[in-house]
Amino acid sequence: MDIISVLASTGPFALLLVGLVVFVENGLLFPFLPGDSLVFAAAVVAGAIGVPWPVVIAVVTVAAVAGGEVGFSIGRKYGRGLFRPGAKIFRPEYLTRTEAFFARWGSGAIVLARFVPIVRTYIAPAAGASTMGRRRFSAWNAVSGLVWAVVLGVAGYLLGSIPWVAANIEWIMLGIVVVTIAPIAIGVAVKRTRAAESPDPRPEPTRP
């Protein structure tokens, strides 16, 4: 059973599922959930489950913002010590990547990060572990949650009314996942390629 069928079969309770997934992905440091495609799908089937699509956007916004606030609190309380070498979820490289993203884009990174998998999950705790004030973060967090929900929600609502889109929604959702994950995969591949091509920094042993 595909995700569209699951949402349609649960009726209005689908909103609870969507909100829970969005909250967990954005607040409980679990980055491997289909937040983007799930929100898009919820907007597509909004009419079928008897929920106005603006309500979908409202629920997603609240869940995303609440998740961000929880993530910030986790980062503020535990700091960098939460990310340890060898961890499966709290990997130091995730924090490093997010901090680099944060350093490059400043406060605007909180908005941009919503559209980047993994970074979306760790931007809030990274901000909490930094010197950013709570009030400043909360303002940008609210803006980012609203923008993310509106973009995906409106896209799902408008495109879902197109027959071709409705008939190929699974492929479109797969495309969303590929497009959002591709930059990360390419970055990892480039990094590994450069590491493999770089010369060994260790000096050669001296021959007698």
Side-chain angles (χ1 to χ4, degrees), residues 128-194:
S130 71
T131 58
M132 173 176 278
R134 183 78 188 225
R135 183 177 300 179
R136 181 184 174 193
F137 169 80
S138 295
W140 283 99
N141 181 46
V143 171
S144 68
L146 177 61
V147 170
W148 182 65
V150 167
V151 169
L152 291 175
V154 171
Y157 172 73
L158 295 178
L159 296 178
S161 62
I162 300 175
W164 182 88
V165 173
N168 296 275
I169 187 63
E170 290 84 4
W171 290 105
I172 292 174
M173 289 167 52
L174 178 61
I176 293 175
V177 173
V178 171
V179 169
T180 53
I181 293 179
I184 296 176
I186 293 174
V188 171
V190 170
K191 183 178 180 180
R192 291 182 176 178
T193 301
R194 290 178 178 176

Side-chain angles (χ1 to χ4, degrees), residues 81-101:
L82 185 66
F83 298 83
R84 300 178 180 179
K88 294 183 178 180
I89 296 180
F90 305 111
R91 296 183 179 182
E93 55 265 35
Y94 289 166
L95 180 60
T96 300
R97 183 186 306 164
T98 303
E99 287 181 329
F101 192 87

Side-chain angles (χ1 to χ4, degrees), residues 15-28 30 32-36 38-39 63 148:
L15 274 181
L16 295 178
L17 173 62
V18 173
L20 178 62
V21 170
V22 170
F23 174 79
V24 171
E25 184 191 29
N26 286 271
L28 300 184
F30 194 81
F32 308 110
L33 294 174
D36 292 322
L38 191 61
V39 174
W148 182 65

